[in-house]
Amino acid sequence: MRIVLVGPPGAGKGTQAVVLSKRLGVPHISTGELFRAHAERATDLGLAAKEYMERDELVPHEVTNEMVHRRLEEPDARVGFVLDGFPRTVAQADVLKSYLAEQGAELDAVVEFQVSEKVVLDRLLARGRADDSADVIHNRFVVYRSETAPLLEYYSDRLVPVDAVGSVEEVTARALTALRVDA
Ligand code: AMP
């Protein structure tokens, strides 16, 4: 199964990605984690990405696309994946489509974890994280809405909305049901 996860910051997407990849038996591919691993190993891709990551900006598309392309060509990812953090723009979605077409494949589903800004704000402030001020959270939502709304439209024929308010187990069960996988 080839799926992409989308959701605003604080929706629990990373946690669900790990659980869903285990349940579906396919690798979890997180572009944020891949970038951090490349940066730690100081690879060409890591060095090219580092300054953007430090500024919390999107890494240029050529660098991101190259990294994703290489990862998708690895044997484990050829049978399926849970993709987390990519695509973030319609341009990246087009690129993903062409990479999959090279393999004669396409996405099975795009899971959208739905949660309101208010719920995320209450959760993160309750955790008391210093960098999670209301302004920071609001800005991330603004960016998410402007970047992601076009993606939801792009993927409207395979979009699977999932209510992300609840326990990890509840949300996983909803996602599996929505994907028609036995929970
Ligand atoms: P994340 O762990 O998803 O917050 O990603 C960490 C950083 O990696 C981001 O701030 C970006 O600099 C970079 N990154 C992750 N995914 C992408 C992407 N799809 N396109 C461009 N940059 C990305």
Side-chain angles (χ1 to χ4, degrees), residues 53-98:
M53 295 170 70
E54 282 165 359
R55 291 201 299 264
D56 214 13
E57 286 171 14
L58 284 188
V59 175
H61 287 342
E62 319 83 76
V63 180
T64 307
N65 294 342
E66 172 64 17
M67 183 180 73
V68 171
H69 196 196
R70 284 194 210 166
R71 183 65 188 87
L72 291 179
E73 287 193 321
E74 286 175 38
D76 63 334
R78 285 188 162 258
V79 288
F81 50 76
V82 172
L83 196 48
D84 167 15
F86 187 96
R88 264 200 173 59
T89 64
V90 168
Q92 290 183 350
D94 276 328
V95 164
L96 177 60
K97 194 175 185 176
S98 70

Side-chain angles (χ1 to χ4, degrees), residues 77-122:
R78 285 188 162 258
V79 288
F81 50 76
V82 172
L83 196 48
D84 167 15
F86 187 96
R88 264 200 173 59
T89 64
V90 168
Q92 290 183 350
D94 276 328
V95 164
L96 177 60
K97 194 175 185 176
S98 70
Y99 291 163
L100 293 177
E102 285 171 10
Q103 301 183 8
E106 60 175 288
L107 287 178
D108 294 296
V110 175
V111 179
E112 177 200 3
F113 291 104
Q114 297 182 324
V115 62
S116 71
E117 182 172 338
K118 171 143 192 352
V119 168
V120 171
L121 189 62
D122 290 348

